[in-house]
Amino acid sequence: ELEWYDVMIWAIACPAASGMTYYAVKMLGDSSAYGGNEVLAFFLAGLMWLPLIVSFAIISSSFPRSSSLYVFVSRVIHPIIGYLPFWYWIVGGGAAMVSGFILFIGIKALGGAWAVAGLLSGNSFLISSAYAVTDPMTQFIIALILVVLLWALNFFGTRAIKWTLRIVTIIPLTITVGVLVGLALAGPNTGFSNWDKVFGAGTSSAIMKAAFEGGKYGDIQVEPLSAVPLWDGTYSMLLWTLWAWTGFEAVTFVGSEVKNPTKSYLKGYVGAFIAIMLLYTANAFLLPLACNYDFMAAYAYLQMNYPDVLSQILKGLPTPDPSVPLMASVTFLNAWLAILIGIAYFLWYLNTAMVCWVGGVRGFFSLAFDRSMPEKLTEVSPRWASPTWANHLTALIAFLGVIFTLLDSMGSSLAAGVVAFMDFSCLFFVWPVGLALMLIPWWRPELFKRMTYQMKSVLFVVGALTFGIGWYFMIFTAYTDIPVLMTNILVGLIGVIVFVVMAARNRSRGIEIEKVYSEIPPA
């Protein structure tokens, strides 16, 4: 069983990767966000997630089952209202497909730090490695290997996952706190001042000139980057920071494996929320202070929009993705420390993928347990007490996530639509959770009696906030690009067809669907 501190570790591991590795730097290169306040954006995103986290804690502690949120919504409102949003989450941006995506982009975290290590030490192997891990095909191969490793790990059950996750979370958490302390001690603009010592004299000023003044660079015309008003930029940053907070929901999918869930979810979620808020806001404050807000924006803008121009300025040296490991390594000017930072920040992606993967396996298991998917997915290893076919299916979709991420990096608009679909599918489940919390005292009073928190007014307020924020998320991430729309429709249609076919099959076998969904599953 998982202890309360495991809930906290899992809840830290899943959201932590992107916000502390990429978004604090990369979003400054977004022309609609440059000029906004990073600290405020991360803080506001956290406040928007707070009602959701309270909802998750209440539901999971009241109904500690595999896929607690799905079980709750499908029993309180209607089976299809529970099934469809969580089908999107399990298949797409919450679990299976996003696991492959995360493993692919997580490798990029190594590139910046290792490039700095190679340039500082003059080690050709490290420089070659930096070039390699920024190459999409190398990232693809490594991501496929990692998918196989996670697939194998999940066969050994919760105990193996629990101990592995403890190790691969405590290590990067310790190093991340050390990096933040180091940034605080380094002083203002240290990283900016050190840039030329790593990448060559005059490169920092050349990067800022190209980004902010624009002009002609060979055959490429650079449009200058200009700051937008503070509140406009901060609002645009929400698209990045809201995504950075996603992942708290994944811990609810192991509710049946949590010891003393009433206390564990409360303590674990409160501790994780405070920890993530402190880490995100400290990171967003200290990094621009040490590395210069404008310089980070200039580098990110060129790397995202004009990579060939950036390569010209750096005279063919590696041009890694804008990231915290890159900027922190430049600030500290230590090759061995840069290697350690690169590995640590990569581990944030590995532990995130682990939590998402477990959510996908438990999600498929619970849908199959309710006979909304083939019952083969409920098979469990007699030796390790872990789902088998649900793990196979998660691995297959994770492979697809790796493939589509590769194609997206190669410029495929169709693949870009699939990757963007993960934003919508990750957050579509939120509004039904809020609606179910609002309805349960009056719609399903017999289930309300089993709630650990039975104040109707509190449930209504928390549910209403969750419902409203969920609609905001859904509209905010419902991109109108044709590839994204078609992907959203296709995945939803496949899910509904599976549900209808399974319902017809169950009827033909004499299984009453209403009875299945009127009961709370045993695990």
Side-chain angles (χ1 to χ4, degrees):
E1 292 181 310
L2 302 176
E3 303 285 348
W4 71 267
Y5 48 83
D6 289 305
V7 173
M8 181 174 172
I9 288 171
W10 288 44
I12 290 174
C14 204
S18 298
M20 288 189 299
T21 306
Y22 277 116
Y23 294 162
V25 181
K26 195 165 186 174
M27 68 182 177
L28 296 180
D30 180 352
S31 57
S32 67
Y34 173 59
N37 187 300
E38 287 192 89
V39 177
L40 186 58
F42 277 107
F43 179 76
L44 291 176
L47 289 185
M48 292 180 69
W49 266 88
L50 185 56
L52 279 60
I53 295 169
V54 173
S55 299
F56 301 159
I58 292 173
I59 294 168
S60 300
S61 61
S62 302
F63 302 97
R65 302 293 186 268
S66 292
S67 310
S68 296
L69 301 181
Y70 155 73
V71 170
F72 182 72
V73 175
S74 62
R75 270 61 178 179
V76 173
I77 305 178
H78 190 275
I80 192 63
I81 301 298
Y83 169 89
L84 189 59
F86 287 97
W87 161 267
Y88 270 108
W89 188 91
I90 295 162
V91 170
M97 185 172 288
V98 82
S99 296
F101 169 79
I102 288 169
L103 292 173
F104 190 106
I105 66 168
I107 300 160
K108 296 175 183 288
L110 294 170
W114 283 14
V116 174
L119 293 171
L120 287 174
S121 65
N123 187 301
S124 58
F125 173 76
L126 283 174
I127 296 176
S128 299
S129 299
Y131 280 111
V133 296
T134 55
D135 175 63
M137 286 308 301
T138 304
Q139 294 165 355
F140 174 73
I141 294 169
I142 297 174
L144 289 182
I145 294 171
L146 292 172
V147 166
V148 173
L149 290 176
L150 288 192
W151 169 74
L153 176 65
N154 274 267
F155 277 116
F156 295 101
T158 303
R159 181 187 295 272
I161 296 169
K162 173 179 69 176
W163 280 101
T164 304
L165 198 59
R166 286 177 180 176
I167 294 168
V168 298
T169 302
I170 296 300
I171 291 174
L173 180 59
T174 303
I175 294 173
T176 298
V177 172
V179 167
L180 294 176
V181 172
L183 291 173
L185 297 175
N189 293 323
T190 302
F192 175 58
S193 302
N194 287 345
W195 183 271
D196 288 359
K197 299 176 184 177
V198 179
F199 288 94
T203 53
S204 58
S205 58
I207 289 171
M208 295 185 72
K209 179 180 179 182
F212 296 125
E213 297 181 16
K216 196 83 168 178
Y217 287 80
D219 297 329
I220 303 171
Q221 178 66 41
V222 176
E223 295 297 324
L225 175 66
S226 58
V228 298
L230 172 66
W231 285 107
D232 291 346
T234 303
Y235 180 77
S236 294
M237 286 178 174
L238 286 179
L239 182 61
W240 303 78
T241 55
L242 285 172
W243 174 261
W245 277 89
T246 58
F248 277 91
E249 73 282 355
V251 194
T252 67
F253 281 72
V254 291
S256 62
E257 298 159 85
V258 173
K259 184 178 180 180
N260 194 359
T262 302
K263 293 182 179 179
S264 293
Y265 272 104
L266 178 62
K267 293 166 68 175
Y269 265 141
V270 169
F273 177 80
I274 294 172
I276 292 293
M277 182 66 86
L278 290 174
L279 288 169
Y280 274 175
T281 52
N283 190 67
F285 174 75
L286 293 171
L287 197 68
L289 181 67
C291 300
N292 190 289
Y293 179 97
D294 294 321
F295 174 72
M296 291 197 306
Y299 182 87
Y301 179 68
L302 293 182
Q303 207 281 337
M304 292 165 61
N305 299 284
Y306 305 99
D308 291 337
V309 172
L310 183 61
S311 182
Q312 289 179 39
I313 294 171
L314 296 184
K315 297 179 175 61
L317 293 176
T319 56
D321 275 21
S323 67
V324 176
L326 169 64
M327 296 297 170
S329 298
V330 172
T331 302
F332 301 140
L333 286 183
N334 183 290
W336 288 107
L337 188 56
I339 294 171
L340 185 64
I341 289 172
I343 294 172
Y345 280 80
F346 162 72
L347 289 178
W348 279 124
Y349 283 89
L350 181 62
N351 60 37
T352 297
M354 287 178 60
V355 176
C356 292
W357 190 295
V358 172
V361 172
R362 271 57 177 177
F364 285 127
F365 175 89
S366 60
L367 294 180
F369 194 90
D370 282 344
R371 296 182 171 86
S372 296
M373 293 191 74
E375 293 173 43
K376 189 76 172 175
L377 296 173
T378 63
E379 288 190 6
V380 174
S381 165
R383 180 176 181 182
W384 305 108
S386 60
T388 53
W389 283 94
N391 188 33
H392 298 332
L393 182 56
T394 302
L396 176 62
I397 300 175
F399 273 120
L400 293 177
V402 174
I403 292 170
F404 280 115
T405 309
L406 170 66
L407 295 175
D408 176 41
S409 68
M410 298 171 68
S412 168
S413 59
L414 176 61
V418 175
V419 172
F421 145 78
M422 286 189 264
D423 284 352
F424 175 82
S425 57
C426 179
L427 298 169
F428 182 43
F429 78 94
V430 174
W431 71 265
V433 169
L435 181 61
L437 268 181
M438 294 169 68
L439 287 176
I440 190 171
W442 300 277
W443 194 257
R444 295 297 302 271
E446 74 281 9
L447 293 181
F448 174 67
K449 293 177 182 178
R450 301 175 61 169
M451 300 284 287
T452 52
Y453 303 93
Q454 296 194 359
M455 294 182 63
K456 295 179 181 179
S457 58
V458 172
L459 292 184
F460 183 85
V461 171
V462 173
L465 289 171
T466 303
F467 177 81
I469 293 169
W471 271 92
Y472 175 82
F473 285 170
M474 187 170 61
I475 295 169
F476 201 50
T477 57
Y479 312 128
T480 56
D481 306 78
I482 296 299
V484 186
L485 287 175
M486 296 308 297
T487 304
N488 287 345
I489 293 169
L490 181 61
V491 174
L493 185 60
I494 292 171
V496 171
I497 290 172
V498 170
F499 187 87
V500 171
V501 168
M502 290 303 301
R505 181 169 176 264
N506 291 328
R507 288 291 185 193
S508 68
R509 295 166 61 192
I511 298 172
E512 298 180 18
I513 309 300
E514 297 82 359
K515 186 175 182 180
V516 172
Y517 280 95
S518 65
E519 300 172 349
I520 301 294

